[in-house]
């Protein structure tokens, strides 16, 4: 079997000579328990993730100099085995400095006690890095793409600005030397990248960008400026990333020579002691839509999956002011309000992102080659809430109209009965009857090929294509889709339209053919079985499927129809029940103890605190410490502040989710 070839050009990543638009999600293996890695990776894959990204965190592996730990949750080789088994790909972010809200940015304490300065061009520092890189190379060698493994990319360093006194040339030489050392020890992959925001040095490697809906590292304790990540622009840099550690402006590379790739599009944000935002699914969905409209050709989410900081032998592992960093973070909690949370719990943002992943799998190759056009009246001011925001991606013949009327923490004007027109070559494209309320965002096709038919315009969004003997194109809309055809489809069954909510909970089932299923939770298939994770119902949960199943698995029965859908009920018993404790409290922060050991902690932000991985514990024996809320005005909250000295549990609720396995 011929090996897949990976390359890149100035527009996009390339796979086997064709443009490729993957979705990448960050999941730190050393921040999650090994026994659940496979399940969580399956959930990521079902969410549309093609590439798993992870930091290799030096202090997690080598807290003691010369003792490189690869057991338990640091078993990187096993993590890579699972990625390969599931048919996923891997991007290793090997540092040596990674930030990642880790103690010392990931550096072991012993390294910082050496006579040389870390992150400098001192040969002694490079010598220490080479030893570290060799350790990584020894573990991952057989998993590199050149050896038939899943690792297609290496990221060097993170947000590199050197040390005081370094000029830009010296910074770039530093990055080049790190890349040279990595290749020298055998870490050779098709892609070598470096973070490019904030004027960071990239050393000529492919720059990857980022963007977050909030900035909890910002030192101010107030409402900050509206995020620019919700406006359509050609600017790739989010000037707010990394401003706690370095202040940079613009980019240290010619953007015309590199594709627009996102490695740190925020799947959420991690709260800090002084800033505690709440991230919603729409925060992530609206930002993702905007970045696609701006021309991004890789969506890489940080974090896609939350986790828990390990406890070190000599110290805790979180970022803290005590270690010279600007922010204090929880000792254990690294939930990040991510699409999949600290304990694998599924969030609304998971469903929002999955819709884009489904679209990109089926239509991303063509989208990669489409340029972004911005109207002359386009406003790049995120505080401007009265100008309609839209952009067009097209290839001169066909494309998509992107509209975003969502701005986090702001109220935008409603736009009723709007008409948007623009020229594509010599042809005028017009969308009429658009009713765009505050908070709406979406994209609509024009000139789209639907099999042998050609769609002129539609007020419906393409979700996916069921690539069976007779392909079916799936769109979603809550209003009149207004399909206008240049060449109409031969069969009315070639196009189906579902509701926005159905699309939110929709996933493909790959069985004897491709099916579309709608269910809350996460459905995974591999042609041999259907596994339903995070199902909220214990008895007889239902799934809507289109078209009807040709072969009905054991443990499932047809119970009726609902429009185009056939409704099935699960009669099998769940194979797993997972308990999570939801704690509503008011205070500054909280800890949960079991038999005297702190097993979970939280910084109050107004949301209920969820605690998982309780299957082997007696919930009745959990003990809680609620730390009183101190002087008002010392923390930024998006909810009303608790009363001074308030430390109170309002209520505790046990939530249960279930896993079903249906063999084909």
């Amino acid at each position: 079997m011929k090996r897949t070839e990976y390359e890149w050009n100035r527009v996009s990543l390339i796979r086997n000579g064709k443009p490729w638009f993957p979705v990448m999600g960050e999941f730190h293996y050393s921040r999650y328990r090994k026994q659940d890695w496979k399940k969580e990776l399956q959930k990521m894959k079902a969410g549309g993730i093609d590439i798993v990204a992870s930091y290799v965190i030096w202090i997690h592996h080598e807290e003691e100099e010369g003792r490189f730990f690869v057991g338990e949750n640091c078993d990187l080789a096993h993590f890579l085995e699972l990625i390969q088994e599931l048919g996923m790909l891997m991007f290793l972010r090997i540092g040596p400095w990674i930030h990642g809200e880790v103690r010392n940015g990931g550096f072991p304490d012993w390294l910082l006690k050496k006579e040389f300065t870390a992150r400098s061009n001192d040969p002694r520092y490079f010598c220490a890095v080479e030893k570290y890189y060799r350790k990584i190379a020894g573990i991952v060698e057989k998993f590199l793409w050149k050896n038939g493994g899943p690792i297609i990319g290496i990221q060097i360093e993170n947000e590199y600005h050197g040390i005081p006194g370094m000029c830009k040339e010296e910074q770039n030489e530093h990055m080049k030397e790190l890349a040279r050392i990595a290749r020298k020890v055998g870490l050779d992959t098709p892609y070598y990248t470096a973070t490019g925001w904030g004027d960071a040095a990239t050393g000529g490697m492919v720059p990857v960008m980022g963007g977050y809906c909030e900035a909890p590292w910002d030192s101010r304790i107030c409402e900050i400026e509206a995020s620019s990540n919700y406006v359509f622009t050609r600017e790739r840099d989010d000037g707010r990333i990394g401003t706690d550690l370095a202040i940079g402006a613009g980019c240290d590379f010619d953007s015309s020579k590199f594709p627009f790739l996102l490695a740190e599009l925020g799947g959420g944000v991690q709260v800090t002691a002084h800033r505690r935002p709440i991230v919603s699914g729409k925060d992530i969905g609206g930002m993702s839509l905007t970045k696609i409209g701006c021309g991004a050709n890789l969506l890489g989410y940080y974090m896609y999956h939350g986790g828990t900081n390990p406890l070190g032998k000599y110290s805790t592992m979180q970022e803290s002011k005590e270690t010279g960093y600007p922010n204090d973070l929880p000792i254990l909690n690294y939930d990040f309000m991510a699409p999949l949370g600290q304990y694998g719990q599924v969030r609304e943002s998971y469903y929002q992102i999955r819709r884009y992943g489904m679209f990109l799998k089926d239509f991303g190759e063509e989208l990669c080659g489409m340029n972004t056009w911005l109207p002359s009246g386009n406003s790049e001011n995120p505080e401007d809430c009265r100008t309609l925001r839209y952009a067009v991606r097209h290839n001169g013949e066909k494309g998509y109209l992107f509209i975003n009327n969502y701005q986090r923490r702001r109220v935008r004007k409603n736009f009723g009965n709007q008409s948007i027109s623009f020229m594509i070559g010599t042809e005028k494209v017009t969308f009429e009857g658009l009713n765009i309320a505050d908070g709406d965002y979406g994209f609509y096709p024009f000139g789209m090929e639907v099999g042998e038919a050609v769609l002129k315009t539609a007020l419906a969004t393409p979700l996916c294509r069921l690539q069976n003997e007779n392909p079916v194109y799936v769109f979603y809309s809550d209003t009149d889709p207004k399909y206008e055809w240049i060449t109409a489809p031969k069969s009315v069954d070639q196009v189906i339209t579902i509701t926005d909510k159905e699309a939110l909970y929709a996933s493909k089932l790959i069985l004897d053919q491709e099916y579309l299923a709608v269910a809350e939770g996460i459905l995974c298939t591999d042609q041999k079985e259907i596994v339903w994770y995070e199902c909220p119902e214990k008895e007889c949960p239902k799934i809507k499927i289109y078209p009807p199943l040709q072969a009905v698995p054991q443990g499932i029965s047809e119970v009726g129809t609902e429009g185009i859908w056939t409704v099935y009920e699960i009669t099998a018993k769940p194979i797993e029940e997972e308990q999570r404790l939801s704690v509503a409290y008011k205070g500054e922060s909280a800890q949960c103890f079991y038999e005297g050991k702190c097993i979970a902690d939280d910084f109050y932000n107004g949301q209920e605190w969820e605690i998982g991985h309780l299957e082997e514990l007696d919930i009745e024996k959990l003990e809680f410490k609620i730390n009183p809320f101190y002087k008002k005005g010392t923390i930024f909250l998006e909810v009303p502040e608790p009363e001074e000295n308030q430390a109170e549990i309002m209520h505790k609720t046990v939530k249960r989710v279930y896993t079903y396995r249906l063999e084909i």
Side-chain angles (χ1 to χ4, degrees), residues 30-284:
S30 58
R31 278 171 157 159
Y32 211 80
R33 60 184 191 177
K34 178 180 177 179
Q35 68 202 64
D36 289 331
W37 283 348
K38 184 173 182 178
K39 176 172 72 173
E40 301 309 310
L41 288 168
Q42 286 178 314
K43 288 155 72 171
M44 290 177 68
K45 183 177 181 179
I49 297 301
D50 305 291
I51 305 170
V52 179
S54 180
Y55 282 134
V56 181
I57 302 175
W58 195 346
I59 193 172
H60 289 184
H61 283 279
E62 196 178 7
E63 188 180 9
E64 295 181 83
E65 185 175 7
R67 293 190 175 185
F68 201 87
F69 181 64
V70 293
E72 300 174 6
N73 299 346
C74 285
D75 189 352
L76 175 56
H78 182 58
F79 189 70
L80 292 167
E81 285 172 356
L82 294 173
I83 288 171
Q84 187 163 23
E85 176 187 331
L86 293 171
M88 303 175 81
L89 298 168
M90 182 72 191
F91 235 98
L92 273 183
R93 307 174 83 189
I94 63 172
W97 188 87
I98 56 98
H99 194 195
E101 293 73 55
V102 182
R103 180 181 178 89
N104 309 325
F107 283 149
D109 286 14
W110 58 261
L111 183 76
L112 300 180
K113 295 175 183 177
K114 298 289 186 180
E115 294 181 355
F116 54 78
T117 301
R119 303 185 88 193
S120 72
N121 285 345
D122 191 315
R124 294 172 294 179
Y125 171 66
F126 288 132
C127 182
V129 171
E130 182 171 335
K131 289 180 182 178
Y132 173 55
Y133 280 3
R134 282 192 186 278
K135 292 287 187 180
I136 298 173
I139 296 168
V140 309
E141 180 181 10
K142 70 177 181 178
F143 300 104
L144 297 171
W145 189 250
K146 65 181 181 181
N147 297 324
I151 303 174
I152 61 169
I154 296 287
Q155 181 187 300
I156 296 293
E157 250 283 346
N158 188 31
E159 302 172 334
Y160 188 72
H161 297 89
I163 61 173
M166 261 193 181
C167 67
K168 184 58 68 175
E169 182 180 356
E170 291 171 316
Q171 294 171 18
N172 277 300
E173 284 302 316
H174 182 94
M175 294 294 287
K176 290 175 183 178
E177 180 63 12
L178 290 178
R180 187 194 68 79
I181 293 170
R183 290 191 171 98
K184 174 185 174 183
V185 302
L187 293 170
D188 187 25
T189 58
Y191 300 122
Y192 256 71
T193 67
T195 53
W197 57 80
D199 196 36
T202 61
M205 288 174 278
V206 178
V208 289
M209 307 305 291
Y212 290 87
C213 67
E214 228 275 358
W217 52 84
D218 191 299
S219 62
R220 292 170 291 175
I221 305 171
C222 61
E223 187 79 53
I224 60 175
E225 301 81 7
S227 171
S228 62
N229 291 307
Y230 296 95
V231 299
F232 295 108
T233 175
R234 300 191 188 283
E235 175 59 60
R236 299 183 181 184
D237 190 33
D238 178 353
R240 297 198 304 195
I241 303 183
T243 52
D244 51 342
L245 292 168
I247 298 175
C251 299
D252 181 45
F253 60 90
D254 182 349
S255 61
S256 68
K257 295 181 179 179
F258 295 98
F260 183 10
L261 309 177
L262 289 157
E264 285 201 23
L265 186 61
V269 291
Q270 181 69 359
V271 296
T272 59
H274 64 282
R275 288 195 70 83
R276 305 186 184 182
I278 298 173
V279 175
S280 72
K282 294 194 74 170
D283 289 343
I284 310 306

Side-chain angles (χ1 to χ4, degrees), residues 13 15 20-26 44-53 88-91 152 261-263 265 288 292 296-302 304 339 349-350 352-362 364 367-368:
L13 303 177
R15 182 174 62 181
W20 179 42
F21 196 138
V23 182
M24 182 167 72
E26 189 96 9
M44 290 177 68
K45 183 177 181 179
I49 297 301
D50 305 291
I51 305 170
V52 179
M88 303 175 81
L89 298 168
M90 182 72 191
F91 235 98
I152 61 169
L261 309 177
L262 289 157
L265 186 61
S288 300
I292 299 172
N297 278 339
L298 164 69
L299 295 180
Y301 291 97
Y302 187 102
Y304 187 86
S349 52
Y350 177 93
Q352 293 272 354
I353 293 169
R354 184 172 62 182
R355 289 197 294 190
Y356 301 136
M358 292 175 71
F359 167 77
L360 292 169
K361 270 191 171 54
D362 289 340
L367 181 67
C368 281

Side-chain angles (χ1 to χ4, degrees), residues 498-571:
I498 64 177
T499 67
D500 283 1
K501 186 174 182 180
E502 287 171 337
L504 199 64
Y505 294 116
S507 57
K508 273 190 186 182
L509 301 182
I510 312 298
L511 303 171
D512 56 306
Q513 64 175 42
E514 293 188 350
Y515 297 89
L516 191 67
V518 173
E520 189 173 349
I522 302 173
L523 294 170
C524 306
T525 60
D526 65 358
Q527 297 183 324
K528 297 180 182 178
E529 65 179 11
I530 302 171
V531 181
W532 189 353
Y533 294 117
E534 300 290 319
C535 177
E537 298 177 61
K538 184 176 184 179
E539 301 293 337
C540 304
K542 294 180 176 60
I543 308 177
K544 299 193 299 186
I545 297 178
Y546 175 89
L549 293 171
Q550 293 187 3
V552 180
Q554 291 185 346
I556 184 172
S557 61
E558 182 179 333
V559 294
T561 60
E562 186 180 311
I564 65 167
W565 305 101
T566 302
V567 182
Y568 297 89
E569 186 175 83
I570 307 301
T571 56

Side-chain angles (χ1 to χ4, degrees), residues 408-628:
R408 185 177 188 277
R409 303 281 294 168
R410 301 293 188 273
V411 176
R412 288 188 50 78
K413 175 184 174 181
N414 295 321
F415 297 91
N417 196 26
Q418 291 289 303
S419 176
I420 297 177
S421 296
F422 48 88
M423 298 298 295
I424 300 297
T426 59
E427 298 294 323
K428 186 177 183 180
V429 178
T430 300
F431 287 84
E432 294 181 338
L434 290 160
N435 290 299
I436 307 161
D438 170 41
D440 286 350
Y441 50 86
F443 64 103
Y444 305 118
F446 61 90
M448 181 181 180
E449 294 173 359
V450 180
E452 295 180 359
V454 180
L455 184 59
K456 183 179 180 181
T457 58
L459 296 187
T461 303
L463 177 67
C464 66
R465 178 175 55 231
L466 301 179
Q467 193 61 47
N468 299 324
E469 182 178 352
N470 296 307
V472 176
Y473 289 74
V474 183
F475 293 77
Y476 57 95
S477 175
D478 279 347
T479 60
D480 180 357
K482 295 185 180 180
Y483 296 110
E484 292 190 32
W485 298 95
I486 296 173
T487 306
K490 295 179 180 178
S491 169
V492 293
D493 296 331
Q494 192 173 358
V495 174
I496 63 173
T497 309
I498 64 177
T499 67
D500 283 1
K501 186 174 182 180
E502 287 171 337
L504 199 64
Y505 294 116
S507 57
K508 273 190 186 182
L509 301 182
I510 312 298
L511 303 171
D512 56 306
Q513 64 175 42
E514 293 188 350
Y515 297 89
L516 191 67
V518 173
E520 189 173 349
I522 302 173
L523 294 170
C524 306
T525 60
D526 65 358
Q527 297 183 324
K528 297 180 182 178
E529 65 179 11
I530 302 171
V531 181
W532 189 353
Y533 294 117
E534 300 290 319
C535 177
E537 298 177 61
K538 184 176 184 179
E539 301 293 337
C540 304
K542 294 180 176 60
I543 308 177
K544 299 193 299 186
I545 297 178
Y546 175 89
L549 293 171
Q550 293 187 3
V552 180
Q554 291 185 346
I556 184 172
S557 61
E558 182 179 333
V559 294
T561 60
E562 186 180 311
I564 65 167
W565 305 101
T566 302
V567 182
Y568 297 89
E569 186 175 83
I570 307 301
T571 56
K573 297 299 180 183
I575 63 168
E576 183 180 62
E577 175 183 321
E578 188 169 349
Q579 293 186 113
R580 294 176 186 140
L581 185 65
S582 183
V583 182
Y585 75 95
K586 287 189 177 182
E588 188 275 325
S589 58
Q591 291 89 37
C592 174
F593 296 86
Y594 190 77
E595 295 182 346
K597 178 183 178 182
C598 183
I599 63 168
D601 58 3
D602 185 63
F603 281 1
Y604 176 81
N605 70 347
Q607 292 183 305
E608 292 194 8
W609 172 29
E610 282 194 339
I611 306 169
H613 295 167
L614 300 173
E615 62 272 13
E616 297 179 2
L617 307 181
D618 183 348
I619 292 180
E620 296 300 319
K621 293 183 179 180
L622 295 177
E623 296 180 341
F624 294 87
K625 178 183 178 183
I626 310 300
N627 301 303

